[in-house]
Amino acid sequence: MPTRVIHGERELVKQAGLLKQLGNRCLLVTGKTSARVSGALDDAVEALKSQGIEYELFDQVENNPSLENVGAGGKAARKFRPDFILGIGGGSPLDASKAVAVLAVNNIEPEELYRNKFDNPPLPIVAVPTTAGTGSEVTPYSVLTHNELETKKSFSVPELFPRIAFLDWRYTEKLPLSITRDTALDALSHLVEGYLSRKAIGTSDFLAERGMKLWAKCLKGLREGALTPEDRDLLLVASTLGGMVIAHTGTTLVHALGYPLTYYHGLPHGRANGLLLGEYLRFSAQYVPERVNDVLAWLGLKDIGEFSRIMGELAGPMVGLTGEEVKQYAAKAAATKNAAQSQGDVTETVLQRILECS
């Protein structure tokens, strides 16, 4: 994996010299509040100042950033002309940072990001996650909202792997419980989907097993709503391991079905995934029962029923869907590569049933 992962408290400040190796000008890419509230922005500014690195701040990243949103970031980058990008936040700012890194040196329309081929390579990226869920700090994927297609869609080139990822649990300490749970479900979905993917390999299996076992150690805290610093640190590492897993395998039908729940109904991405995971396990057990049993064992759960009850407890109730919506979302999902990477015969009928039973 090309990303250098640095894990520990205040390592962003302690190892600021690594930033200087990337250049003298940095564009900070964040959302409006999370980077400030978490303390990560203060640490980043301190690190940059200590090395005499000139910086500007683009703090306009939206939740589930659109092509238009990253286009604005790209315009800001081309004006400032940074040497590297430092992204701070959850999945939205980190994914936006990758798009901005491309647009900073390629004056193209945001839609053209999906060509996955650019005249100039993206600027180097440093990733500082403030949630324990997306794993974007160690993947080459940027997932953006495509309003014309009415869904989320990713683009990817190998150069989008961040050069450095700084993992510091303190940046997740002030997250509301709802966001902590939602992002934890996102991390779990990456670990589970990667392990059950057609593209799973020995390396990804090893990472998935380790990640699920770490995640399981935090389950009590997630259910009770009282997470210790150790819990948050373990969740952050589990999330990064989940990112490493899907960097190998990609995601499966859970993400394909979750995207319309986010786009049309406003469900947070991780929560949408969590609501679908139980039925996903039931479906997958028809084809890879040994692997589903591994998942349950590593999480310390006795059966899929217990798994589904816990997912419901953490994610809350499913949104009400009309019959027409179920058909529409299943049709969209069936056409994705995520569905093709799933075990079994993933038809529209299968996807409809998963939605209806979740």
Side-chain angles (χ1 to χ4, degrees):
M1 189 189 70
T3 304
R4 179 176 180 179
V5 178
I6 299 174
H7 177 215
E9 296 181 15
R10 284 186 60 80
E11 290 297 325
L12 177 56
V13 175
K14 294 175 185 176
Q15 302 205 43
L18 295 173
L19 303 180
K20 188 67 173 179
Q21 296 175 16
L22 299 177
N24 296 310
R25 293 167 68 84
C26 170
L27 182 68
L28 290 159
V29 177
T30 76
K32 292 181 173 62
T33 59
S34 62
R36 291 183 174 86
V37 171
S38 67
L41 181 58
D42 288 343
D43 281 358
V45 169
E46 181 180 347
L48 294 169
K49 286 183 175 179
S50 75
Q51 301 299 308
I53 299 173
E54 187 177 353
Y55 68 91
E56 279 197 2
L57 176 64
F58 179 77
D59 62 354
Q60 302 302 308
V61 177
E62 304 163 345
N63 195 28
N64 301 308
S66 64
L67 291 174
E68 296 79 11
N69 188 211
V70 298
K75 184 177 180 180
R78 289 192 297 273
K79 181 178 180 181
F80 179 59
R81 302 184 69 180
D83 297 314
F84 67 98
I85 305 295
L86 198 160
I88 305 174
S92 291
L94 296 188
D95 284 2
S97 296
K98 296 173 183 179
V100 170
V102 174
L103 296 172
V105 289
N106 294 276
N107 191 6
I108 59 176
E109 293 298 317
E111 171 71 28
E112 296 179 80
L113 290 168
Y114 294 117
R115 294 185 312 180
N116 294 315
K117 187 176 181 180
F118 312 109
D119 291 338
N120 301 304
L123 292 178
I125 302 160
V126 177
V128 182
T130 62
T131 66
T134 176
S136 184
E137 67 273 9
V138 290
T139 75
Y141 310 127
S142 174
V143 183
L144 305 171
T145 298
H146 195 306
N147 286 315
E148 283 191 20
L149 299 179
E150 297 184 339
T151 190
K152 297 173 76 172
K153 183 178 178 181
S154 66
F155 77 94
S156 175
V157 292
E159 295 86 355
L160 288 182
F161 274 107
R163 298 285 184 88
I164 308 171
F166 288 97
L167 308 186
D168 188 333
W169 72 270
R170 297 174 308 125
Y171 303 149
T172 72
E173 187 174 17
K174 295 180 180 178
L175 288 174
L177 178 61
S178 60
I179 296 178
T180 298
R181 285 175 168 170
D182 291 343
T183 52
L185 290 170
D186 193 16
L188 180 63
S189 73
H190 294 159
L191 294 162
V192 172
E193 290 178 70
Y195 188 65
L196 299 181
S197 169
R198 289 182 184 270
K199 295 175 66 178
I201 58 175
T203 303
S204 64
D205 286 352
F206 174 82
L207 296 169
E209 176 181 355
R210 181 61 177 158
M212 280 186 258
K213 287 179 176 178
L214 291 179
W215 196 94
K217 292 181 178 181
C218 310
L219 182 54
K220 183 174 183 290
L222 286 168
R223 297 179 74 181
E224 295 178 353
L227 289 99
T228 65
E230 181 183 8
D231 288 334
R232 290 196 176 276
D233 192 46
L234 291 177
L235 278 176
L236 187 57
V237 174
S239 172
T240 298
L241 290 173
M244 294 177 184
V245 169
I246 63 171
H248 287 87
T249 67
T251 56
T252 65
L253 66 85
V254 173
H255 273 66
L257 287 175
Y259 287 153
L261 298 181
T262 296
Y263 187 87
Y264 293 110
H265 300 276
L267 283 183
H269 173 62
R271 189 182 305 176
N273 290 353
L275 289 167
L276 297 163
L277 278 174
E279 290 304 313
Y280 172 63
L281 285 191
R282 290 187 201 281
F283 172 73
S284 300
Q286 301 173 62
Y287 301 95
V288 284
E290 307 88 355
R291 285 186 169 252
V292 171
N293 287 336
D294 287 341
V295 169
L296 296 171
W298 295 336
L299 294 174
L301 304 176
K302 62 183 180 181
D303 55 31
I304 295 174
E306 183 181 17
F307 178 92
S308 296
R309 286 191 295 274
I310 291 174
M311 291 301 100
E313 182 181 323
L314 296 178
M318 181 64 162
V319 294
L321 301 177
T322 66
E324 186 56 38
E325 287 172 332
V326 168
K327 290 180 181 179
Q328 177 189 351
Y329 303 166
K332 278 179 173 285
T336 65
K337 64 181 180 181
N338 311 76
Q341 290 165 180
S342 308
Q343 300 284 352
D345 184 15
V346 182
T347 64
E348 288 187 31
T349 299
V350 165
L351 294 170
Q352 289 176 28
R353 188 179 304 119
I354 290 173
L355 280 173
E356 289 167 347
C357 296
S358 292

